[in-house]
């Protein structure tokens, strides 16, 4: 299904029709990945309802953003349009940068997202908890170009290299906290490196609505299904 | 001081083929009607002598130039929803001594539209202009362009000599500048405000093209409501270059997608500390007459400027936020004196 975000066409894939009386699941991939990152249902996804996988702008089959101004909250709006398209109520699972977006979506749309599962993946850390004013938090022109080129080599072919910005965005704790607190339920996969994790993830883990989910994608999704049944 | 050069008055709309194509591609706009009205003249404004494109990835930026191409460059950066031709009164006054290059920011004026807008990308566009010039330049920015010019100077200290910031010291610490009639969000959490941002983005696909104003005068009246401090002769001139005529009326050139805005963790109180690496001397300029967009309260302004190592300040009598449009003569005197030493 094609969705229109401003002038950008983004693509939402229906991976499994599932039982129509069950809550849909929205899958959000890692930075530089795509909807093709997720296994087919019969491999490990045990979600009873419809399963939809989004290609964020600049990824997979979605169009590139002219001008390259990618940031997590722009992808958040991609995800919110997908949420609207599948009935405006869904559980969300996100990997890496997609996990951060899943947390933001769960906190900004608590009336529509009963639970979110956070999984490891590229773009999980972000660019730190606060700007470092002693050295500018923005890389110089040349440094930026170098970083982007290095990042882009690890992305799926066809990914817009500009999405690399979403690996270095600031995620301050006092910014993340209200999202974590507003969420209904956050499930953190045991695969996440919570102990040495970026601050935003520790913040999410500390929220009252948080709990650990079993390791592995399939087990995590099953726990998510149980919690939203 | 009188402007150094007066260009012949061009008849009709200054849109070339490339621009028409760009507008069509970026905004799916209907075809434009040529020759609807005669370009307004302003007794004190001088159109640029040269115009050219500069590539910034897949977006083209429009540059407008005055003065000797061999002279030391001065780069001018306009504010939000303005455009480079807003400098048509200041630029010619600087052009007697400098090569003056005014940049249309992406999404504004005659530059291409992008699909998203974010502060660091605008800053890198200014850096691109500096790199393109190939020699150290002075940098002048107004409002948002002032903040971005300051960030560009902080980022590329070897490319920037003197820096003039025209009332571009960021919004107040709490909720930013308040437009009249804007909803009060002070009681909302950041997550709730983010929900409102998402509501705006859901509607953003309906804002890819401006509604057309039936006549040019309607457009002038609209901008006049927002900027009561600008006189009518200047408003007509400024608005003419901010809009294009189409077969069903007049539309702003600026990208309507910018209205939906962005969202993120940025805090205005970061602005002051982020300038502690600035090496260029800064002339910080405000107007004497407060209006919607500035100046900041003096205490806050001092906090924002606290880390600037080489700071000079001036207040232009009779000007509000749009200093270069309201008091270009007095401003140019201060700027020329400052840049002469920078």
């Amino acid at each position: 299904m094609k969705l229109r975000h401003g002038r950008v066409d983004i693509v939402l894939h229906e991976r499994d029709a599932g039982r129509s009386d069950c809550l849909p699941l929205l899958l959000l991939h890692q930075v530089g990945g795509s909807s093709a990152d997720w296994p087919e249902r019969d491999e490990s996804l045990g979600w009873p309802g419809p399963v939809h996988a989004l290609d964020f702008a600049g990824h997979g089959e979605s169009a590139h953003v002219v001008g390259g101004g990618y940031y997590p909250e722009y992808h958040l709006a991609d995800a919110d349009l997908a949420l609207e398209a599948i009935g405006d109520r869904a559980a969300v699972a996100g990997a890496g940068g997609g996990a951060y977006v899943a947390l933001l979506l769960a906190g900004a749309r608590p009336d529509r997202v009963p639970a979110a599962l956070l999984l490891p993946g590229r773009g999980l850390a972000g660019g730190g908890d606060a700007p470092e004013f002693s050295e500018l938090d923005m890389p110089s022109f040349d440094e930026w170009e170098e970083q982007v080129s290095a990042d882009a080599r690890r992305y799926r072919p066809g990914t817009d290299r500009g999405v690399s910005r979403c690996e270095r965005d600031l995620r301050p704790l006092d910014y993340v906290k209200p999202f974590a607190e507003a969420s209904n339920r956050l499930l953190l996969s045991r695969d996440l490196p919570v102990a040495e994790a970026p601050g935003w993830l520790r913040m999410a883990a500390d929220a009252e609505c948080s709990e650990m989910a079993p390791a592995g994608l399939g087990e995590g999704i099953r726990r998510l299904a149980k919690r939203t049944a | 001081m009188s402007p150094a050069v007066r260009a012949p008055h061009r008849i009709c709309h200054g849109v070339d083929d490339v621009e028409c194509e760009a507008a069509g591609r970026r905004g799916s706009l209907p075809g434009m009607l040529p020759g609807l009205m005669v370009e307004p003249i302003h007794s004190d404004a001088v159109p640029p002598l040269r115009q050219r494109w500069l590539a910034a990835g897949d977006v083209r930026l429009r540059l407008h130039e005055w003065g000797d191409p061999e002279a030391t460059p001065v780069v001018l950066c306009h504010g939000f929803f303005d455009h480079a031709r807003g400098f048509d009164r200041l630029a010619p006054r600087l052009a007697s001594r400098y090569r003056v290059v005014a940049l249309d920011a992406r999404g504004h004026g005659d530059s291409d539209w992008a699909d998203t807008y974010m502060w660091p990308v605008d800053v890198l566009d200014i850096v691109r202009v500096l790199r393109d010039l190939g020699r150290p330049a002075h940098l002048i920015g107004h409002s948002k362009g002032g903040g971005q010019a300051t960030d560009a100077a902080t980022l590329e200290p070897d490319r920037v000599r003197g820096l003039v910031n025209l009332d571009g010291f960021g919004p107040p610490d709490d909720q930013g500048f308040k437009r009249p009639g804007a909803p009060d969000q002070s009681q909302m959490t950041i997550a709730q405000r983010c929900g409102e941002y998402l509501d705006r983005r859901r509607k953003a696909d309906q804002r890819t093209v401006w509604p057309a104003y039936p006549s040019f005068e309607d457009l002038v009246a609209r901008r006049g409501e927002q900027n009561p401090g600008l006189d009518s002769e200047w408003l007509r001139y400024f608005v003419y270059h901010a809009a294009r005529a189409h077969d069903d009326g007049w539309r702003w050139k600026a990208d309507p997608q910018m209205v939906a805005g962005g969202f993120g963790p940025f805090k205005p109180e970061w602005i002051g500390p982020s300038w502690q690496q600035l090496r260029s001397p800064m002339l910080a300029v405000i107007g004497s007459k407060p209006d919607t967009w500035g100046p900041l309260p003096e205490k806050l302004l001092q906090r924002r400027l606290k880390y600037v190592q080489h700071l000079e300040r001036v207040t232009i009598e009779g000007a509000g936020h749009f200093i270069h449009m309201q008091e270009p003569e007095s401003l140019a005197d201060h700027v020329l004196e400052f840049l002469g030493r920078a």
Side-chain angles (χ1 to χ4, degrees):
Chain A
M1 186 188 335
K2 255 191 192 170
L3 307 173
R4 193 108 170 115
H5 185 181
R7 288 184 290 268
V8 181
D9 285 328
I10 54 172
V11 178
L12 178 66
H13 303 264
E14 190 185 58
R15 298 295 294 272
D16 199 308
R19 277 171 42 199
S20 59
D21 58 335
C22 292
L23 188 72
L25 172 65
L26 175 61
L27 299 173
L28 304 174
H29 62 75
Q30 62 183 349
V31 176
S34 85
S35 57
D37 290 356
W38 305 103
E40 295 298 330
R41 178 194 184 86
D42 51 5
E43 286 176 40
S44 67
L45 279 181
W47 184 260
V51 178
H52 301 267
L54 177 66
D55 283 336
F56 286 125
H59 297 78
E61 292 174 33
S62 291
H64 290 193
V65 165
V66 171
Y70 296 91
Y71 55 99
E73 288 80 3
Y74 183 79
H75 287 323
L76 168 64
D78 289 338
D80 184 60
L81 287 167
L83 178 65
E84 184 183 31
I86 59 177
D88 238 351
R89 193 174 156 77
V92 179
Y100 181 59
V101 170
L103 167 71
L104 297 179
L105 189 64
R109 298 294 203 194
D111 50 334
R112 301 166 209 208
V113 179
L117 171 65
L118 313 187
L119 298 156
R122 199 174 300 120
L124 184 74
D129 301 342
E132 288 172 32
F133 299 122
S134 52
E135 299 164 41
L136 259 190
D137 57 305
M138 217 170 96
S140 78
F141 195 90
D142 292 324
E143 285 164 349
W144 169 248
E145 282 296 314
E146 269 173 42
Q147 286 175 5
V148 169
S149 300
D151 290 341
R153 284 195 282 277
R154 297 179 294 126
Y155 295 161
R156 275 182 183 273
T159 305
D160 189 342
R161 56 208 290 278
V163 305
S164 159
R165 283 188 187 286
C166 299
E167 296 198 56
R168 292 196 185 72
D169 58 294
L170 288 178
R171 300 174 187 177
L173 305 189
D174 57 349
Y175 175 72
V176 173
K177 197 176 178 192
F179 287 92
E181 285 175 347
S183 300
N184 293 300
R185 194 181 283 276
L186 296 172
L187 303 181
L188 275 67
S189 166
R190 287 212 183 273
D191 295 325
L192 285 167
V194 176
E196 73 270 23
W200 77 265
L201 195 58
R202 290 199 306 275
M203 180 65 66
D206 287 347
E208 239 173 78
C209 65
S210 279
E211 65 175 71
M212 296 306 286
L217 175 65
E219 288 301 311
I221 297 276
R222 264 186 283 283
R223 175 67 60 87
L224 186 65
K226 214 170 170 182
R227 290 284 184 255
T228 53
Chain B
M1 164 193 170
S2 67
V5 195
R6 293 221 178 258
H9 304 131
R10 287 175 302 151
I11 304 298
C12 179
H13 214 64
V15 179
D16 59 33
D17 291 341
V18 194
E19 282 170 338
C20 288
E21 182 211 294
R25 194 176 76 229
R26 301 289 181 220
S28 307
L29 302 173
M32 292 171 218
L33 282 189
L36 274 185
M37 71 175 278
V38 175
E39 178 177 334
I41 56 166
H42 186 281
S43 54
D44 189 47
V46 182
L49 298 178
R50 301 175 297 276
Q51 292 169 310
R52 65 190 172 98
W53 296 104
L54 178 69
D58 50 1
V59 166
R60 298 166 314 156
L61 305 172
R62 193 66 161 161
L63 302 180
H64 310 258
E65 296 200 19
W66 297 253
D68 178 1
E70 301 301 316
T72 300
V74 176
V75 177
L76 304 178
C77 309
H78 63 77
F80 187 59
F81 256 83
D82 290 345
H83 54 82
R85 303 295 302 274
F87 291 113
D88 278 13
R89 297 180 71 185
L90 178 65
R93 291 181 155 92
L94 308 178
S96 53
R97 246 183 261 172
Y98 297 102
R99 171 188 182 183
V100 182
V101 181
L103 159 70
D104 274 329
R106 57 176 62 206
H108 295 75
D110 294 330
S111 287
D112 282 345
W113 291 357
D115 286 330
T116 67
Y117 297 91
M118 62 189 300
W119 186 277
V121 174
D122 283 340
V123 174
L124 286 180
D125 283 345
I126 298 172
V127 170
R128 278 178 210 273
V129 176
L130 293 169
R131 294 168 76 100
D132 176 74
L133 292 169
R135 57 188 285 196
H138 300 298
L139 200 46
I140 301 178
H142 171 243
S143 195
K144 180 175 123 170
Q148 292 177 339
T150 307
D151 282 358
T154 308
L155 205 57
E156 297 273 325
D158 297 336
R159 296 182 191 275
V160 180
R161 289 173 59 179
L163 170 70
V164 180
N165 186 330
L166 307 173
D167 206 8
F169 310 105
D173 276 339
D174 46 12
Q175 292 286 306
F177 290 111
K178 269 232 176 55
R179 279 174 294 114
D184 179 18
Q185 296 193 320
S186 56
Q187 300 307 310
M188 294 168 70
T189 68
I190 194 109
Q192 288 167 330
R193 294 217 297 271
C194 186
E196 299 222 321
Y197 153 75
L198 292 175
D199 289 338
R200 291 198 303 277
R201 290 305 321 175
R202 282 188 180 194
K203 291 185 202 139
D205 60 339
Q206 297 153 28
R207 292 300 299 265
T208 50
V209 178
W210 290 111
Y213 285 75
S215 76
F216 177 69
E217 299 307 326
D218 294 319
L219 219 60
V220 174
R222 176 76 184 116
R223 181 79 198 210
E225 282 167 24
Q226 292 167 327
N227 299 115
L230 302 179
D231 70 73
S232 62
E233 185 196 7
W234 171 253
L235 245 147
R236 288 179 58 80
Y237 185 89
F238 179 63
V239 165
Y240 180 83
H241 294 289
R244 287 194 184 95
H246 300 267
D247 48 10
D248 57 346
W250 287 79
R251 288 189 172 85
W252 300 115
K253 290 177 180 175
D255 185 354
Q257 279 286 298
M258 291 189 290
V259 176
F263 201 87
F266 172 77
K267 288 183 202 165
E269 55 257 43
W270 293 350
I271 295 171
S274 73
W275 289 343
Q276 54 191 291
Q277 302 293 309
L278 182 68
R279 292 218 308 259
S280 310
M282 179 203 279
L283 178 64
V285 187
I286 55 171
S288 66
K289 296 200 293 197
D291 62 26
T292 314
W293 313 105
L296 294 171
E298 179 58 29
K299 254 190 170 167
L300 179 55
L301 195 52
Q302 284 183 18
R303 231 187 303 143
R304 293 282 162 85
L305 293 169
K306 183 165 109 182
Y307 297 95
V308 177
Q309 289 168 35
H310 312 284
L311 176 68
E312 295 182 27
R313 288 187 55 182
V314 63
T315 301
I316 303 291
E317 281 306 315
H321 179 60
F322 295 83
I323 306 160
H324 56 301
M325 304 186 196
Q326 292 168 312
E327 295 295 334
E329 177 95 42
S330 160
L331 175 62
D333 289 345
H334 286 284
V335 168
L336 285 168
E337 195 276 323
F338 172 77
L339 295 187
R341 292 183 283 114

